[in-house]
Amino acid sequence: MREAIIHLDPAYRLADVPKELFGSFIEHLGRAVYDGIYCPGHPWADGQGFRRDVLDAIRQLQVPLIRYPGGNFASGYRWENGVGPKEKRPVRPDGAWRSRESNQVGLNEFAGFCQSADAELMMTVNLGTRGVQEACDLLEYCNLPGGTYFSDMRISHGAEKPHGIKYWCLGNEMDGPWQTGHKTAEEYGRLAAETARAMRKLDPSVRLTAAGSSNPYMPTFPQWEATVLEHTYEDIDFLSLHQYLGNSTGDMGDFLAQSLTTDRFINDAVAACDFVQAKKRSKKRMMLSFDEWNVWYKTMDQEQHIQPWQFAPPLLEERYTMADAAVFGTMLITLLNHADRVKMACLAQLVNVIAPIMTEPGGGPVWRQSIFWPFLHGSLYGRGTVLRAVADSPKYDSASFTDVPYLESACVWHEDTKELDIFAVNRSADEPLVLDCDLAAFGGGKAAGKAAEHLALYGPAEAVNGPGREVLKPRVMSGAEVKDGQLEAQLPPLSWNVLRIQTGG
Ligand code: AHR
C-alpha cells in the first residue's frame, strides 16, 4: 500500500491562522440573497425576512466575515437604491448577471443579517462605474456617527448606531474585461490609491484591500500586481487574489492536482508584493486577501444562456461531487500553508450560488453540499498555529502536472490545548494511503500522542448531496492509532481527512 510520512515539530512554526481566513461571500446574484438568505413569508423567516435555518447553517460554519454585495454585481451597483423605505426602492437591471434587482435587501438589512450570523460585513465599493466620491459617501453612511448628510440619512433609515465596517474592498476584479468599468492597471492603481486616501481621511480605522488578479491565467498577471502596488503600496492593507479551480479536461488526476496552481499563484503574488516593497524601500510587508476561492466549472458562463432580466434566477447552482470536495480540501490546505502571507480569505460563495449551503426554490429545507464539510473542519479546527511540516509522499504525473503528491496536508498546532490537527487529502481515486507521523517532538517522548480521532469524507468521485439526501457526510473512522509516539492512519481513496490528536506535551 502507498505510504506517506509527515515530519513535524511544534517548534517549527509558520504562522498563526487568523480567524479571517474562514470568511465567505454573498453577492446579489442568482438565488443567493432572494430565495436564499432572504425569504419573507417563509415559515422559517425571522422578523426581517431572513431564513433562520439558513442562518443556523451559516453559524455552524463560524464564518467570521461575509463579503458583500459583489463580485461583479458591485461594479454597477448604486448603494443608495438599497436604503430607505422598501416601497420606494427602485427595481434596476444588473448588467453583470443580466438579472433584475429589486433592492429589497440593501446594506442596512445585510448588516442586520451579518449580526444574526455572528459575522462582520466586508464591503466592496463600486470602482467600476463610480469613483472616490461615491465610495466616501458610502463610508460616511456606514461608519460616521451622525451630524453629516449621509450619516444622518442612515439614522433616519432606522440605523441609529454606525455599522463600523472595518474591511473594505476597493472594487472587484478590475483586471477582467468582463468587469463593468474594467480598467488598465495604471487606471485602477491611481483610482484605488486616491479612493484609499480619501476613505482613510473619513475613517482612519478602515482596512483596505486593492483588487489583484482574477486568476493566475490573466495575461496581465503579475504585472497587474506590480503596477497596482506601485500606486497603492502605502495606502492599502491587503492585495486580493481570486481563483476558482475546475475540471477543464475531464481528467481526474489533473483535476485533483489543480491546487498546485493555487500554491504557485500565491507564491507569485507574494513575489510581486515583495518586489514592490524592495523597490520602494518600504518597511511594510504586504499581506494577501484571497477573497474569492472555490471549485467552480459546471455552471460557468451560465448567465449568457438564460433568459435575461429574471428576478433571482437559479444561477451558478453548482452541485458539488466528492471529487470537487477533495479538490476544495486541497485548496483550503494550500491557504493554511500560506498563512504567513494570506491573512484573509472568502469562500465564494455561501448560499445557493457556488455554495456549501443550499435551499430549494420556493421553500423546502436547507441542505449541505459536499464542500460544506472540509470548510467546517477547517473553520473549527484550523484556528491555531500552522507548522512548517515536511511531507514525504508518493507522487504521480498527470496530463499537465508532474510529481503530484498523493498526500496534500496541513498541520495546525493548538499550544493551549496541546491538540494537533492534521488536515489531509488523499488524491488517489483508487487506493488508500497510509499516513505516518512521528510525534516524539510533541513531548512525552515515545508516549507522545494519546489519542487520535479520525474524521473522513469520502465516497464515489461523482457522488453528490441533494435535498433530503446528504450521502456525503464526514464519518468517524476507526483504526487511526498513536503507538509509541507514532501516528498511523489510513486515508480512504479520494478523501478529505482530519486527524485530531491529543498530544502528550
Ligand atoms: O463569485 C462569482 C463571480 O466570480 C464574482 O461575481 C466575480 O467576482 C468572480 O468572477
Side-chain angles (χ1 to χ4, degrees), residues 367-403:
W367 58 277
R368 290 156 178 77
Q369 299 233 48
S370 59
I371 61 169
F372 183 93
W373 303 107
F375 188 83
L376 176 75
H377 292 156
S379 182
L380 292 187
Y381 310 129
R383 301 177 193 206
T385 305
V386 177
L387 299 180
R388 292 177 191 271
V390 176
D392 199 353
S393 167
K395 299 184 167 68
Y396 69 94
D397 292 343
S398 70
S400 339
F401 300 91
T402 46
D403 288 336

Side-chain angles (χ1 to χ4, degrees), residues 360-440:
E360 288 307 288
V366 81
W367 58 277
R368 290 156 178 77
Q369 299 233 48
S370 59
I371 61 169
F372 183 93
W373 303 107
F375 188 83
L376 176 75
H377 292 156
S379 182
L380 292 187
Y381 310 129
R383 301 177 193 206
T385 305
V386 177
L387 299 180
R388 292 177 191 271
V390 176
D392 199 353
S393 167
K395 299 184 167 68
Y396 69 94
D397 292 343
S398 70
S400 339
F401 300 91
T402 46
D403 288 336
V404 183
Y406 281 108
L407 173 73
E408 194 68 57
S409 59
C411 302
V412 177
W413 171 236
H414 303 271
E415 175 81 59
D416 46 348
T417 57
K418 307 289 179 220
E419 180 174 311
L420 172 68
D421 289 298
I422 302 180
F423 302 98
V425 169
N426 176 8
R427 283 195 172 100
S428 170
D430 39 37
E431 276 190 44
L433 181 67
V434 172
L435 173 63
D436 290 325
C437 185
D438 184 352
L439 300 173

